[in-house]
Amino acid sequence: MTNVKEKIAKVFEDYQKQARYVGELLRQGNAKYQRIEQWHQQQLIHFMGIVNVSMADLVRAHEEERLSTLAWVTRNLLELVIWIEFATKSDENAKRFQDDAIKDLYGWAKASIDLEKGQDPAEHKKLSDKMAELEQLAQSRGLGKLGDDYMRVSAVAKELGHDADFAPRYKLCSKFAHPTAWVVRTASSVEADTDVRNMFFDDGVLLAFAALAHLEQRFLAAFPEFKPQDGKS
């Protein structure tokens, strides 16, 4: 057990070191050369933040022997790698992903209104006003009429050429991330689940490093001549 904890601690330390390097590459590089627009810089920083949190969740879930949590976090990282590769492939893709946030918020507001019908008129009006604001914003940005047409991660994975790999890996994670009949049946099989937990942890780690690699490539393409102060040793 001690060896396993030491291994995990070393993996997390290596990840944090790489994450610091990639983060400094963006912050220092763009401060000096200003080749990435502010909105896109914020998007990339947020990507990094979510990957960092997911990696910490992955480590904690492994320590606490939480199989479903490991599967859920690994599935999130699988999706994040797709979104990050997509958004770092071109500025046009990054803009498409940025605009999708409006559609996500619109969908959230619409679902909330459906739940509030006949319950709280004041809350219903507030959400309706928010939807109207989002529709105006969408029109001003040339997005047209808002609806349930946001990008699907499976479609983006296919667009990037990863559909053959993405679909089975996503399904495998989902079988354990959701309270499926199998998960319910094996809820107390902590020892028997050791290999499966290790599999999800290892996959999650690889995905987290893959996410950092896509971000690093984006920054090095923008600042090929730049070496951050917090460089790799």
Side-chain angles (χ1 to χ4, degrees):
M1 181 63 70
T2 302
N3 289 338
V4 172
K5 288 184 177 180
E6 289 177 352
K7 175 186 175 183
I8 293 175
K10 180 63 166 61
V11 167
F12 195 33
E13 180 184 349
D14 290 344
Y15 171 83
Q16 290 176 313
K17 181 178 180 180
Q18 179 67 5
R20 284 194 299 270
Y21 165 75
V22 175
E24 290 306 303
L25 188 61
L26 170 62
R27 284 187 289 271
Q28 296 177 20
N30 209 37
K32 183 173 183 179
Y33 298 106
Q34 299 181 349
R35 293 174 185 159
I36 297 177
E37 292 186 53
Q38 186 63 32
W39 68 266
H40 189 27
Q41 175 173 307
Q42 285 301 114
Q43 181 188 76
L44 296 169
I45 289 173
H46 291 163
F47 269 136
M48 282 206 61
I50 294 174
V51 175
N52 289 344
V53 169
S54 297
M55 184 63 180
D57 287 342
L58 193 74
V59 170
R60 184 168 60 253
H62 192 282
E63 291 175 345
E64 296 177 356
E65 300 180 331
R66 305 286 187 180
L67 175 57
S68 291
T69 306
L70 281 164
W72 175 71
V73 176
T74 299
R75 188 181 63 179
N76 286 352
L77 284 164
L78 179 62
E79 293 190 45
L80 276 169
V81 170
I82 294 298
W83 290 128
I84 290 171
E85 180 178 350
F86 175 79
T88 56
K89 200 173 184 67
S90 70
D91 288 346
E92 180 183 358
N93 284 359
K95 181 68 164 49
R96 282 177 61 191
F97 187 79
Q98 184 82 349
D99 288 341
D100 235 38
I102 300 174
K103 299 177 183 179
D104 287 335
L105 187 55
Y106 182 87
W108 174 86
K110 187 176 184 304
S112 298
I113 283 178
D114 291 341
L115 287 174
E116 289 290 339
K117 282 180 179 177
Q119 296 184 39
D120 187 343
E123 185 65 21
H124 188 282
K125 184 180 185 309
K126 184 169 70 174
L127 289 168
S128 296
D129 290 344
K130 173 58 69 175
M131 288 181 68
E133 290 175 12
L134 290 171
E135 287 173 340
Q136 291 178 357
L137 178 60
Q139 290 176 7
S140 70
R141 299 182 68 160
L143 298 180
K145 185 174 178 58
L146 291 177
D148 192 25
D149 60 342
Y150 54 85
M151 290 188 294
R152 312 287 180 176
V153 67
S154 57
V156 174
K158 184 175 183 179
E159 182 179 328
L160 294 172
H162 299 316
D163 52 319
D165 178 64
F166 176 84
R169 294 180 75 179
Y170 190 90
K171 186 173 184 178
L172 181 62
C173 291
S174 295
K175 287 296 182 183
F176 289 90
H178 295 299
T180 59
W182 179 254
V183 168
V184 172
R185 179 182 176 183
T186 61
S188 60
S189 305
V190 178
E191 291 303 320
D193 289 339
T194 299
D195 289 342
V196 182
R197 291 199 307 273
N198 289 338
M199 176 192 71
F200 282 128
F201 178 78
D202 291 343
D203 285 351
V205 169
L206 290 175
L207 289 165
F209 275 100
L212 289 183
H214 285 303
L215 291 166
E216 180 181 8
Q217 290 169 11
R218 172 69 178 92
F219 305 153
L220 289 176
F223 327 118
E225 67 278 71
F226 184 70
K227 301 298 179 185
Q229 296 174 7
D230 186 15
K232 300 175 186 175
S233 58

